[in-house]
Amino acid sequence: MKTIGILTSGGDAPGMNAAIRAVVRTGIYNDIKILGIKQGYSGLINGDIQEMNLSSVADIIHRGGTMLRSSRSEEFQTEKGFKKAIDVLNIFGIDGLVVLGGDGTLRGAKKLYDAGIPTIGIPCTIDNDMGYTDYTIGFFTAVETVVDAISKIRDTSTSHGRANIIEVMGRHCGDIALYSGLAGGAESIIVPEVEFNMDEVAKKAINGRNRGKLHHIIVLAEGVGNAYDVAKDLGEKTGIDTRVTILGHIQRGGTPTTFDRVLASEMGRTAVELLLNEEGGKSLGTKCNNIIALDIEEALNTKKEFDVKMYETTNLLSI
Ligand code: F6P
């Protein structure tokens, strides 16, 4: 193992730069050449590759986004594109690969491993939708962003006696809504994992209004449906003036939280050390605060469990 490549792929996530920094510095510490592959699997196919040194990753641990940039590569899914990627890895003499991203990225990592390239996956996505790990890098930074938005929206909703439907990201996973709704003190949380009843949401808002509450914050996970439909329905059922805030890509940026920086740094180091130990084909995760390494196949096949108990807590505490 003399040369290791690193790439970031799919939706970017705060903390990716901290992981890149850890991979580069652990590699250099072990006299390994680290090649940065730009723009994910697209950059790999196009040979958009540069050698990294200690200065390449200076002053990035606190930066959101990914200094290597990212992409969602259709070409990599084709046989021709995949073969080009393998050829490039051989041309550059890359002996091992560290890939940062979500489930799609890990599926690509598995394909490369099956083609003989020792590969390690690091779970980076704000969605926290990978069942084999307690948390993915970027998740808590996105939650922090949403909690800050909830606080700001609560101010103006109180001033005007309004309800506000705050739509958050997460694709088909409700964890951003769940964690930010609980931490932000939302009145209701609507997630894809739990059937919701609009009459119940309306009743809670009316009861709150009757005891003098001047705001009603409903956090809606994007995987459920259209925030404007929910707002219209709530307004009609309650008579409460209702607005919509779609947070969108603001959840993908910002300086990573301490937790995401620590997780990213530990995983970056572990990834290099696994490759040095000839243990490719693994996906890193965190379980009960320990870094774990699972076969990528097993990681991808682990079903995401929704935290129903936490969901019940959010309902209980917002009576
Ligand atoms: O997977 C991360 C994510 O931010 C999802 O939560 C969101 O639905 C999607 O990416 C948005 O994709 P894009 O950045 O391609 O618009």
Side-chain angles (χ1 to χ4, degrees):
M1 189 63 61
K2 288 275 170 260
T3 303
I4 292 175
I6 178 170
L7 64 83
T8 52
S9 166
D12 67 328
M16 279 183 159
N17 280 326
I20 293 165
R21 172 178 176 273
V23 167
V24 171
R25 295 202 165 173
T26 308
I28 291 171
Y29 177 82
N30 287 282
D31 297 324
I32 299 289
K33 183 157 80 167
I34 303 290
L35 296 182
I37 301 163
K38 309 299 278 292
Q39 296 195 75
Y41 292 122
S42 300
L44 174 58
I45 290 168
N46 300 324
D48 189 357
I49 295 173
Q50 68 179 66
E51 183 164 354
M52 308 284 277
N53 57 41
L54 293 179
S55 309
S56 312
V57 290
D59 199 28
I60 66 165
I61 192 167
H62 61 294
R63 309 272 308 259
T66 161
M67 66 166 288
L68 292 176
R69 304 186 55 225
S70 186
S71 69
R72 298 183 195 275
S73 171
E74 301 289 322
E75 192 182 2
F76 184 73
Q77 308 304 327
T78 67
E79 204 173 314
K80 189 160 167 280
F82 184 73
K83 190 183 171 317
K84 273 165 80 175
I86 297 289
D87 292 345
V88 169
L89 289 168
N90 292 326
I91 290 163
F92 280 83
I94 293 178
D95 307 310
L97 197 58
V98 178
V99 300
L100 282 59
D103 53 359
T105 304
L106 287 192
R107 272 194 285 279
K110 174 76 174 62
K111 270 179 73 176
L112 288 167
Y113 178 67
D114 291 344
I117 310 290
T119 306
I120 301 291
I122 294 183
C124 296
T125 170
I126 65 166
D127 298 344
N128 203 43
D129 58 351
M130 301 169 87
Y132 77 98
T133 179
D134 289 343
Y135 301 111
T136 55
I137 292 167
F139 169 64
F140 276 111
T141 303
V143 169
E144 210 58 49
T145 298
V146 176
V147 170
D148 179 60
I150 289 172
S151 172
K152 290 179 166 82
I153 290 164
R154 178 189 279 108
D155 290 346
T156 176
S157 299
T158 303
S159 304
H160 292 270
R162 284 172 173 159
N164 204 297
I165 312 293
I166 303 175
E167 181 185 294
V168 299
M169 283 185 160
R171 281 195 309 176
H172 312 299
C173 179
D175 276 17
I176 293 176
L178 175 62
Y179 280 69
S180 61
L182 176 57
E187 276 67 39
S188 291
I189 297 171
I190 304 175
V191 292
E193 295 88 347
V194 180
E195 189 70 34
F196 82 99
N197 178 326
M198 200 62 216
D199 291 332
E200 283 302 308
V201 174
K203 196 169 91 186
K204 185 177 270 192
I206 291 167
N207 291 344
R209 179 57 47 107
N210 292 342
R211 64 170 202 269
K213 215 182 239 281
L214 293 176
H215 62 261
H216 310 278
I217 304 287
I218 290 98
V219 181
L220 174 74
E222 65 178 348
V224 173
N226 185 303
Y228 290 95
D229 294 341
V230 174
K232 184 169 179 294
D233 204 1
L234 184 72
E236 286 167 358
K237 288 183 189 305
T238 62
I240 296 172
D241 188 9
T242 303
R243 293 292 193 275
V244 170
T245 306
I246 297 181
L247 293 180
H249 285 71
I250 191 175
Q251 299 162 89
R252 287 261 291 273
T255 185
T257 60
T258 302
F259 179 84
D260 278 333
R261 297 184 202 189
V262 168
L263 189 59
S265 301
E266 292 286 355
M267 286 190 174
R269 173 193 172 182
T270 305
V272 173
E273 291 178 347
L274 282 173
L275 288 174
L276 292 177
N277 209 23
E278 295 178 12
E279 290 184 65
K282 304 285 186 195
S283 188
L284 299 184
T286 177
K287 268 286 172 211
C288 308
N289 225 14
N290 291 308
I291 302 293
I292 58 163
L294 253 62
D295 288 347
I296 298 177
E297 186 81 27
E298 184 186 349
L300 287 169
N301 293 337
T302 307
K303 189 175 172 306
K304 170 75 181 174
E305 297 296 329
F306 183 69
D307 191 334
V308 177
K309 193 164 183 328
M310 187 187 283
Y311 181 79
E312 288 162 358
T313 302
T314 64
N315 280 334
L316 189 158
L317 300 186
S318 60
I319 50 172

